[in-house]
Every structure is written in C-alpha cells, then in structure tokens.
Amino acid sequence: MKLRRSIFLAVLLIFVTTFAITYCNHRVDEEEPVETLNPTEDTSAFVNLTDVVPDAILEIRYFSTYNFVGERIRGYEEPTALITREAADSLQAVSQEVMKLGYRLKVFDAYRPQMAVDHFVEWVGRENDTKMKPYFYPDLEKNVLIPQVYIADKSGHTRGSTIDLTLFDMNTEKEVDMGGTFDWFGPESHPDFCGNPETGEYTGEKVKSSRTITPEQFANRMILRKAMTNHGFQPEPTEWWHFRLKNEPFPDTYFTFPVKRLPAK
C-alpha cells in the first residue's frame, strides 16, 4: 500500500510540475513576446524629410564631427534626413502648428542606419577616446554609457519613424533655449527634469543633478512636446528632443541603407 501511494504521489508531482512549467512558459510568451528583427535595405517606404516638410532646418549632427563621438558617424553619407512617409506627413502637421507660433522645426537626426548604431557601440569600447566628454557627458565615465542605456545596440531611429529635433525661433533667428544641448547624457535631458511634462507645470524639482533649468526653458520644451504629441508622436522619457511615431509602420524592422538623399519619386 505504501509503495502504491509513493508511486501515485510521484506521478502526481511530475504531472503538476509539467503543467506549471507549460503554463508559465505560455504566460511568458503572451506577455513578453520575443522581438522579431528584420534587417533590410529597402528604401521604398522612405522620403526625404525636406521634400514633405520644406520649412524644416537640418543640422545632421552625425554627418559632422560635432557629436558625442567627435567624428562623422558611419552610414551618414550626406547631411540629409530620411524618414518614413507616415512620420513625414505627421511632421508636416507639426511644422504647420509651430510656424503659427513663430517657430520652425530644426532636425538633428531622423532615420539612423544600423551601421551607425554599431559605430556608437564600437566607440564606447575605445576607452581613451573621450575628446567630447566635456561637451556631452562631463558627469559620467564612458564605461557607464551602455549599462545606463545611453548607448544601446538597437535604436528606434533605425526603424525609420523616430526623430530628434528642436525649435528655431524665426524672430531671434536662433534655436529656442531648451536648457540643454541635443545628446547631453544626464538627467537634465529628461522631460520631467524640473517639471511635470504631463501637466506642463514647472516645479524646479531636479534629481541627481547640481544643475537646473529655468521656467522659461521648461516651457519651451513643453511647446515642442505638445506640438509633437498633438500629431501622433510619443515622447521619450529620457530625452526632451526624441519622439517616435506611435503608429510606426515598421515596428519590427531595422533598416541598413546609408543616409543619403533619395531619388525623387
């Protein structure tokens, strides 16, 4: 009798364990799907941004040496901005909105090829290459840039519907003062630095920083944020200049073609 009971309990334990493992795996698959990456060089869904938004000002930082690496980034063959047609159409609406307020859009980066992202990761491995540290990451050591996710091996820009931009004041003929530069690595770049971006309220609250921004600088960030969200863009929680089209057409595709002006369509 004891032997039969032991066998029965052992079989029951195996059954319960198998069921639990199967169920847990099923739940993980449902809640955390594995990302599908489809690299391609197909440019057919892309446009030259200025063909759709001719009022946009381009300052493509990764074509120049004025960026956190300090050299032209691989894959930027011309100082132009490429983006999916869907994102370009939404940006046209953004441009029309801010122009009524006396601004133009100034673009630092749009589509970014995977080879450029790889260049960033390779640069992090060059321990002694810190020439741009005083300008972009003075408070951080270079070896924390990947662990703290300032640099990653994949970027939403490579999917073609993400853009980095600011506002240009047509009256002063200068960039609007946002209280910090594009690609500054630190909490000062967060949209919630010194304020609540959901309400637009300036609080002066700063986290892990000896710096601050003024109420006017925070308000300027909110002008850009409101215009972008009004037309279907999702803000990035750590970069006031970074926005992704919510309904991006290629959420699982990473493009690999270089940045250079596309033939007229």
Side-chain angles (χ1 to χ4, degrees):
M1 180 65 69
K2 290 184 178 180
L3 179 59
R4 288 182 179 179
R5 184 176 181 180
S6 297
I7 293 174
F8 172 78
L9 290 174
V11 171
L12 180 61
L13 178 61
I14 292 172
F15 174 80
V16 170
T17 302
T18 302
F19 175 82
I21 292 173
T22 302
Y23 178 76
C24 290
N25 285 343
H26 178 65
R27 295 295 301 163
V28 168
D29 288 344
E30 283 186 344
E31 296 175 1
E32 300 178 9
V34 176
E35 184 177 21
T36 301
L37 304 181
N38 300 304
T40 177
E41 293 194 3
D42 182 11
T43 65
S44 61
F46 284 74
V47 296
N48 302 300
L49 176 59
T50 50
D51 287 349
V52 182
V53 190
D55 296 302
I57 299 168
L58 303 186
E59 186 185 328
I60 307 304
R61 290 284 185 87
Y62 300 139
F63 181 79
S64 74
T65 60
Y66 179 48
N67 56 59
F68 64 86
V69 176
E71 62 193 38
R72 182 180 296 177
I73 303 304
R74 191 181 311 133
Y76 285 81
E77 297 182 3
E78 293 180 14
T80 192
L82 309 180
I83 201 162
T84 62
R85 181 73 204 209
E86 291 86 346
D89 289 342
S90 293
L91 282 168
Q92 183 183 45
V94 175
S95 179
Q96 291 171 351
E97 178 174 330
V98 300
M99 287 187 71
K100 293 176 182 177
L101 303 175
Y103 304 114
R104 292 171 68 178
L105 299 179
K106 184 173 183 179
V107 176
F108 299 120
D109 194 32
Y111 160 69
R112 181 184 306 164
Q114 184 59 45
M115 68 185 86
V117 180
D118 295 341
H119 190 162
F120 294 162
V121 174
E122 291 169 13
W123 166 79
V124 173
R126 303 182 215 155
E127 296 181 5
N128 298 323
D129 186 353
T130 57
K131 57 181 173 291
M132 302 304 286
K133 178 178 170 65
Y135 311 105
F136 294 97
Y137 55 104
D139 303 331
L140 299 172
E141 294 304 318
K142 191 177 180 182
N143 60 8
V144 306
L145 296 182
I146 289 180
Q148 295 187 17
V149 201
Y150 289 104
I151 304 291
D153 61 1
K154 290 289 183 295
S155 169
H157 282 273
T158 311
R159 301 195 299 267
S161 297
T162 295
I163 192 162
D164 294 333
L165 76 174
T166 189
L167 296 174
F168 182 90
D169 191 318
M170 291 192 287
N171 293 316
T172 64
E173 298 184 350
K174 295 180 180 179
E175 277 186 34
V176 173
D177 185 0
M178 298 293 189
T181 186
F182 162 67
D183 263 356
W184 175 273
F185 296 158
E188 301 83 4
S189 293
H190 295 190
D192 63 357
F193 185 71
C194 289
N196 183 342
E198 300 305 318
T199 64
E201 177 189 9
Y202 178 82
T203 63
E205 183 178 352
K206 49 190 180 178
V207 179
K208 298 179 181 179
S209 176
S210 60
R211 298 180 176 81
T212 189
I213 61 173
T214 66
E216 181 180 6
Q217 290 166 337
F218 181 78
N220 289 339
R221 294 183 179 190
M222 294 302 101
I223 293 171
L224 175 63
R225 181 186 180 96
K226 184 175 185 298
M228 294 296 286
T229 56
N230 281 349
H231 299 286
F233 285 91
Q234 176 71 42
E236 162 64 36
T238 60
E239 298 172 344
W240 59 259
W241 58 81
H242 178 118
F243 297 87
R244 174 185 59 82
L245 189 67
K246 285 183 181 179
N247 296 320
E248 59 181 317
F250 302 103
D252 302 317
T253 302
Y254 284 77
F255 293 89
T256 57
F257 57 86
V259 174
K260 59 182 178 180
R261 188 165 179 82
L262 299 174
K265 294 183 180 179

